[in-house]
Structure formats: C-alpha cells, structure tokens
Amino acid sequence: VNEVVVVGAGLAGVRTVEALRARGFGGRITLVGEERHRPYDRPPLSKAVLFGDADTSYVDTDLAALDVEFQAGVSAKALRKGVVETTEGELRYDGLVIATGAEPIRLPGDGPQHVLRTLDDAHELRAMLVPGARVVIIGAGWIGAEVATAARRAGCAVTVIEAGPAPLATAVGAEIGARTQRWYDGIDLRLDTMVDSVDEGGVRLVGGEFVDAHVVVTGIGVRPAVEWLTGADIDLHNGVVVDEHLRASLPNTVAVGDCAAWWSRRWQTRLRVEHWDTALNAPEVAAASLLGEDVAYDPVPYFWSEQFGHMVQYAGHHLAGERLIYRGEPEGKWSAVWLTADDALAAVLAVDRPRDLVQGRRIIDAGHRLDAERLVDPEVSLRDC
Ligand code: FAD
C-alpha cells in the first residue's frame, strides 16, 4: 500500500491516520472530511459545549506532523475501484479507509428541527437554550437525555416525547429505562407518545395534539453514513460489512467507527457500535489490517452517558431475555448485570458505580462465571462474586 485515502475526518478517521504512521507507514495519506472543522470529539457536544463550559473539543493531534493532506469541507460522492470521487475531484488510492460515521435521522415536517451531531449543531442549539424557552426534545435515548439535562440546567421549560414505554427503552430495555424515569424531575416526560411531524411552532403528535415549542430537538437515532457507497461494489448491511479484521468486501479497504458493522468473534454476531471507545480503539486494528497484518478487533464494547447528574456506563453486549440482576436501589447508586444461561457475565450497566463497570468489563473479557446470590448484594464487589 502506497497511497491511502481516509474518508471521514472524525475520531475514527484521524485515529486511523495516527495508527498508520505509528506503524511506520511512509506513503501518502489524504484525509477527506465533509465538515470544515479539523477532527473533534463528539461526546462533549451534548455536555460541556452545550452547558457553555467549553466551545470546542478538538482532538489533540498534529496533522502537519502526521504528514497528512487534510481536505476539509470535501465530501466523497462515490466509489469506484481505486478511485474516490469527491466534490473536489477524484482521488486515487491503493488503500481505503471508510470512516464516515453516522448521521441523525430526522422526522417529517416543515418546522425547524434541530439535531445534535456536529460542533456547529451544538453552537446553534446552545444559543437557543435560554431561560423560559419551550424546548421539545423528541426521543429519550442517550442524546435526548443529555440535551434535556442541558436544557433544564439552562432554565428552559422542557418536554421530552418518547415513543417507547420508558426512557432508554430502545437502548437498554424498558425495565432499566424505567429506573431512570425519576431523573426527569421538572420535565414534562411523555411516554408511549409518537410524533407525527415537526411543524412551525411545535410538534404534531399522532392523534392530532399539538405541542408548542420554541425549539424542537430530534434525537431519535442515527444511521450509518454510507449513502455515498450505494452503487459501489461493496457489501453494505446496517453500515459497511467488515470481518473481524475490519476488512470490507472490497480489496484493500477497511471500515471503522460508527459506520462499520464488524464480525465479533466473542459474540459470534455482527456488531455496529455507535460509541466513542470503538472510534478510539478500533483504528489500531483497521490500520494494521490495511498494512497486511493479521490482527482481530474483539473488544468488550463500552460506552458512557452523563445525564441528570448521573454517570451511566455500560460494557458488554446482552441479548433481550438474558437474566437481569440489580445491585442497589433505584434511588441511589446502582448497577444492573445481565447473565448468560450459564451464569457468565454478558453485560453490566453501572449508575454512579464506576468500580462495577471496570471490574465487570474485565470479568466479561475473561469469560468468568458469577454467583447470582452474591451479586444482589451491592456491598460485595463484583470481582468477589
Ligand atoms: P463521526 O464522529 O460521525 O465522524 C465521521 C465524519 O465523517 C464526520 O465528520 C462526517 O461529516 C464525515 N463524513 C460523513 N460522510 C462523509 C463523506 N461522504 N465524505 C467526507 N466526509 C464524510 N459516545 C460515547 O461512548 N459516550 C458519549 O457520551 C457520547 N456522547 C455523544 C454525544 C453526541 C452529541 C454525539 C453526536 C455522539 C456521542 N457519542 C458518545 C458517540 C461518539 O461520538 C461516536 O461514536 C463517534 O463520534 C464516532 O466516530 P466516527 O469517527 O466513527 O464518526
């Protein structure tokens, strides 16, 4: 490989550039990014940036020292064998990294609708979160909960509309989600409620009711940003289909980060994880694979969310129906663990209990079994269960 093109200048893209250079790759690297910003981290956008505690979250990297040609504000439009077509012309490659991330799903309607994906989105939204503003947030998932946290803190009148029976129901199940419902104090939380459209001045619910709003934020999920690959000779299914080495079906091509659905050896299924830790760490494997090394990406996936003053952390991968055990009461610090049929730890979700997270992640990695009777006592540390 002599000429690498990296499409997508988010965390996964820039980390892959770093990893290629760290492995001694001396060829040419072009990094193409739709946004005009240099690479930045997204988690702070719905936290420090929205709170007004920070204005930017640039990744601490030196693009000049990495000797990368960074084309900002340039989009890839299509892919042919050996050629990426961009809004600024064609780029030839003999190694390709697809790191285009994901993009928010929007709802129908002509009214102004905010999403929160980019630094520009965060600045735009922040300016509107003023005391007394009526803010309607659609979706009580990770992003919705974090935006609600910021809006309540800014003194807005906040309504959260969720289609499911509890917050976070889609992400971690309604039973766990219901435990977080008490955090929505002072917020008009409407569950089992579907939005029909976002209109001028508010949102129209299915059934006809209109909810007034100065600001509407849609946080109903993202989809992998792979539309530009339609028509290319590459397997796409819920993102770019890659093997455990993060190699795509097209030769000399890897995909990494939010856009990649990789084969997990550990869980024997394909996973697409839309979280920071994957964008941070998978690039090591993507770079190595592109350079012909034989390494696999086989993590215990991890993410966190900071909402309503709580630190929520999750590690692992669980299936619906796996045995769920709580450690601690919902009013305080608690965690939940999922056990497989043979009592191995499948996943852990910790609320303000970082030690459970750290120990749980190690236990999952090692494949240890746990004693369900001891687990229910939050005083017994996980590693002693
Ligand atoms: P992205 O960050 O999406 O970067 C992809 C880049 O590619 C984008 O800049 C995009 O503009 C560009 N691009 C797309 N298409 C093209 C194209 N055709 N041509 C050129 N460029 C293109 N995760 C956590 O674990 N914890 C958190 O607390 C957390 N908070 C978050 C808060 C917010 C507001 C958001 C949006 C995400 C959060 N995440 C969090 C998720 C985490 O930020 C993502 O998993 C991570 O950003 C994925 O990185 P990526 O590089 O794969 O994709």
Side-chain angles (χ1 to χ4, degrees), residues 94-109:
D94 57 16
L96 177 66
V97 179
I98 299 172
T100 41
E103 56 206 5
I105 298 168
R106 290 165 193 267
L107 285 164

Side-chain angles (χ1 to χ4, degrees), residues 90 107 192 205 219 330 344:
E90 299 193 337
L107 285 164
D192 294 312
L205 304 181

Side-chain angles (χ1 to χ4, degrees), residues 6-14 32-35 37 40-47 74-77 99-103 116-118 142-143 146-147 222 225-226 228 256-260 273-280 302-306:
V6 179
V7 184
L11 182 63
V14 73
V32 184
E34 195 165 275
E35 294 181 66
H37 298 284
Y40 58 87
D41 278 319
R42 294 185 202 278
L45 300 183
S46 51
K47 308 172 184 73
V74 175
S75 304
K77 306 298 279 179
T100 41
E103 56 206 5
L116 181 52
R117 184 74 193 176
T118 67
W142 304 117
I143 296 287
E146 293 192 359
V147 172
V222 295
V226 294
W228 66 282
V256 66
D258 281 11
C259 69
V273 173
E274 297 160 350
H275 296 297
W276 186 85
D277 186 71
T278 302
L280 182 75
Y302 162 73
F303 68 86
W304 82 100
S305 168
E306 294 160 47

Side-chain angles (χ1 to χ4, degrees), residues 92-131:
R92 303 209 150 267
Y93 70 84
D94 57 16
L96 177 66
V97 179
I98 299 172
T100 41
E103 56 206 5
I105 298 168
R106 290 165 193 267
L107 285 164
D110 300 329
Q113 187 175 161
H114 292 264
V115 292
L116 181 52
R117 184 74 193 176
T118 67
L119 188 53
D120 295 346
D121 293 340
H123 284 165
E124 214 177 282
L125 183 57
R126 179 168 87 182
M128 308 196 72
L129 298 184
V130 294

Side-chain angles (χ1 to χ4, degrees), residues 9-336:
L11 182 63
V14 73
R15 289 278 297 143
T16 308
V17 173
E18 289 177 348
L20 284 166
R21 290 299 187 220
R23 295 186 119 75
F25 176 68
R28 188 167 167 179
I29 305 181
T30 308
L31 175 63
V32 184
E34 195 165 275
E35 294 181 66
R36 297 196 173 276
H37 298 284
R38 62 193 158 88
Y40 58 87
D41 278 319
R42 294 185 202 278
L45 300 183
S46 51
K47 308 172 184 73
V49 176
L50 216 50
F51 295 163
D53 296 341
D55 289 328
T56 59
S57 53
Y58 291 117
V59 174
D60 183 16
T61 192
D62 185 344
L63 294 176
L66 288 168
D67 190 21
V68 53
E69 186 190 328
F70 176 38
Q71 301 195 357
V74 175
S75 304
K77 306 298 279 179
L79 178 67
R80 303 195 312 269
K81 197 161 180 286
V83 179
V84 176
E85 294 174 20
T86 78
T87 45
E88 299 293 319
E90 299 193 337
L91 291 171
R92 303 209 150 267
Y93 70 84
D94 57 16
L96 177 66
V97 179
I98 299 172
T100 41
E103 56 206 5
I105 298 168
R106 290 165 193 267
L107 285 164
D110 300 329
Q113 187 175 161
H114 292 264
V115 292
L116 181 52
R117 184 74 193 176
T118 67
L119 188 53
D120 295 346
D121 293 340
H123 284 165
E124 214 177 282
L125 183 57
R126 179 168 87 182
M128 308 196 72
L129 298 184
V130 294
R134 275 200 302 279
V135 178
V136 168
I137 298 161
I138 307 168
W142 304 117
I143 296 287
E146 293 192 359
V147 172
T149 302
R152 184 174 72 180
R153 188 170 140 154
C156 305
V158 185
T159 298
V160 175
I161 301 176
E162 165 59 46
L168 304 179
T170 317
V172 288
E175 194 184 325
I176 297 265
R179 283 196 156 210
T180 73
Q181 203 167 315
R182 68 192 66 234
W183 301 345
Y184 286 73
D185 187 33
I187 291 175
D188 174 20
L189 173 65
R190 305 202 187 178
L191 299 170
D192 294 312
T193 305
M194 294 281 287
V195 170
D196 187 47
S197 61
V198 179
D199 300 339
E200 202 57 55
V203 304
R204 175 78 57 196
L205 304 181
V206 169
E209 189 190 338
F210 194 80
V211 182
D212 292 329
H214 298 119
V215 186
V216 176
V217 187
T218 304
I220 57 171
V222 295
R223 61 169 74 92
V226 294
E227 214 165 292
W228 66 282
L229 293 167
T230 318
D233 186 18
I234 187 169
D235 282 356
L236 301 176
H237 182 73
N238 181 28
V240 181
V241 174
V242 293
D243 64 12
E244 61 190 17
H245 310 286
L246 306 179
R247 291 184 304 224
S249 63
L250 198 67
N252 298 326
T253 303
V254 293
V256 66
D258 281 11
C259 69
W262 82 87
W263 179 256
S264 164
R265 217 185 253 182
R266 190 187 298 273
W267 275 286
Q268 290 292 300
T269 184
R270 212 167 281 290
L271 296 179
R272 192 174 63 77
V273 173
E274 297 160 350
H275 296 297
W276 186 85
D277 186 71
T278 302
L280 182 75
N281 291 310
E284 288 292 336
V285 173
S289 297
L290 198 62
L291 299 178
E293 293 171 46
D294 181 25
V295 277
Y297 184 58
D298 195 18
V300 174
Y302 162 73
F303 68 86
W304 82 100
S305 168
E306 294 160 47
Q307 46 180 282
F308 308 113
H310 297 282
M311 174 60 103
V312 182
Q313 295 167 291
Y314 176 98
H317 173 68
H318 74 272
L319 305 172
E322 271 172 337
R323 187 166 167 206
L324 179 57
I325 295 174
Y326 292 104
R327 293 164 52 75
E329 296 306 316
E331 306 79 45
K333 302 175 177 184
W334 54 276
S335 46

